[in-house]
Amino acid sequence: MVDTGRLTWPVQRRQDFLRIVVYITLATALIFIIDIITPLGVMIWILYLIPLFLTVYLSWKYAPLLMTSVFILLMAASLFLSPRDLPIEYALIDRAFFALILIIASFFITDYVANVEDIASSEERYRSLIEWLPEGIVVYREDGIAYINPAGSRLLGAERGENLAGRDIIKMIDPDFQAIFRQRIDQAAAGARMNLDNVRLIKNDMSAVTVDMFLGTVFWDNGIAVQIVMRPA
């Protein structure tokens, strides 16, 4: 079956967890070392934004807040360890202001990660739902079938969805229906919703099946596609 996962990023984040943690740790340590060997007036600590934004790729949603706390502690330590080239009061004000920026940025990152996880969870629930639907579901684009659920595969006489991936469903329509079906596909891609009754499809084994269809627009893989719901007539 064609993979329905559009949001693979959260999965990749979990797979790369340890690698991203290493990157964040190394970047934080390097920035801290540079900070304590440079004068107070040199704003090296602004580089902490780099490991902070790397926390976007971690699966733990509280990682940005935790790392912000670590960065603030390191900035406080380097305040006393760095060579002084200006009064400590001014350096303290600068770092306090940047600490506030870090806190605000971490809340934005946490909210963004939570939203991405919610979208991924919703998509997974939707995918599970259409996998079990008794009606055939086809997502069709100009380059062919982008997705078909198990019921749709069985309806078209295929064992697995991969056998139909990339196929032009218009060519599977009885020739007498192809012209009107192509017209309806164009209308659905433009935003219309419509029913088509008693459409004859030519299955993989060259036998015919008559189905009723419902066509509508769907957003798929960063583009507009047509979702076709099929059931035996």
Side-chain angles (χ1 to χ4, degrees):
M1 184 181 311
V2 178
D3 183 16
T4 59
R6 300 293 99 193
L7 292 174
T8 59
W9 177 62
V11 178
Q12 292 297 322
R13 285 172 52 221
R14 286 190 286 272
Q15 292 175 350
D16 295 344
F17 182 87
L18 291 179
R19 180 165 61 89
I20 299 301
V21 168
V22 171
Y23 290 162
I24 292 174
T25 303
L26 292 177
T28 301
L30 180 60
I31 295 168
F32 179 69
I33 292 172
I34 296 175
D35 191 18
I36 63 177
I37 64 177
T38 55
L40 282 176
V42 181
M43 296 185 295
I44 296 299
W45 32 263
I46 201 170
L47 296 177
Y48 282 123
L49 283 172
I50 297 174
L52 177 61
F53 283 111
L54 283 177
T55 60
V56 171
Y57 296 95
L58 296 177
S59 59
W60 187 38
K61 65 179 180 179
Y62 296 112
L65 298 175
L66 173 63
M67 292 310 303
T68 294
S69 301
V70 173
F71 298 153
I72 292 175
L73 290 175
L74 293 178
M75 288 168 57
S78 63
L79 177 66
F80 301 98
L81 297 175
S82 299
R84 295 188 183 181
D85 63 338
L86 78 168
I88 194 170
E89 293 81 6
Y90 292 106
L92 179 60
I93 293 173
D94 288 343
R95 292 175 186 244
F97 177 73
F98 183 68
L100 179 61
I101 294 177
L102 282 176
I103 293 172
I104 294 173
S106 66
F107 276 110
F108 276 109
I109 293 174
T110 302
D111 184 63
Y112 173 77
V113 170
N115 288 336
V116 170
E117 293 291 350
D118 288 343
I119 293 172
S121 178
S122 296
E123 182 166 311
E124 179 62 24
R125 290 193 295 268
Y126 177 74
R127 184 184 67 85
S128 300
L129 175 64
I130 64 176
E131 293 286 301
W132 287 97
L133 279 178
E135 290 85 4
I137 306 291
V138 174
V139 176
Y140 176 77
R141 297 184 298 191
E142 291 184 356
D143 55 351
I145 295 175
Y147 167 76
I148 183 169
N149 72 341
S153 296
R154 292 191 297 269
L155 195 58
L156 297 179
E159 292 294 330
R160 295 174 57 85
E162 288 84 355
N163 296 331
L164 300 174
R167 291 275 299 276
D168 188 350
I169 194 171
I170 295 178
K171 295 181 179 178
M172 304 178 70
I173 303 292
D174 187 285
D176 294 336
F177 289 88
Q178 287 185 8
I180 189 171
F181 184 76
R182 184 176 286 106
Q183 181 183 19
R184 296 295 187 269
I185 284 286
D186 293 339
Q187 292 173 347
R193 294 179 177 270
M194 64 197 69
N195 293 317
L196 279 176
D197 297 329
N198 299 318
V199 179
R200 284 172 51 85
L201 289 169
I202 307 301
K203 300 168 61 174
N204 269 8
D205 59 4
M206 303 309 294
S207 63
V209 60
T210 302
V211 299
D212 295 331
M213 292 183 173
F214 174 81
L215 282 67
T217 306
V218 65
F219 190 75
W220 185 269
D221 198 15
N222 299 319
I224 297 298
V226 176
Q227 179 173 278
I228 305 169
V229 181
M230 306 180 297
R231 63 181 62 179

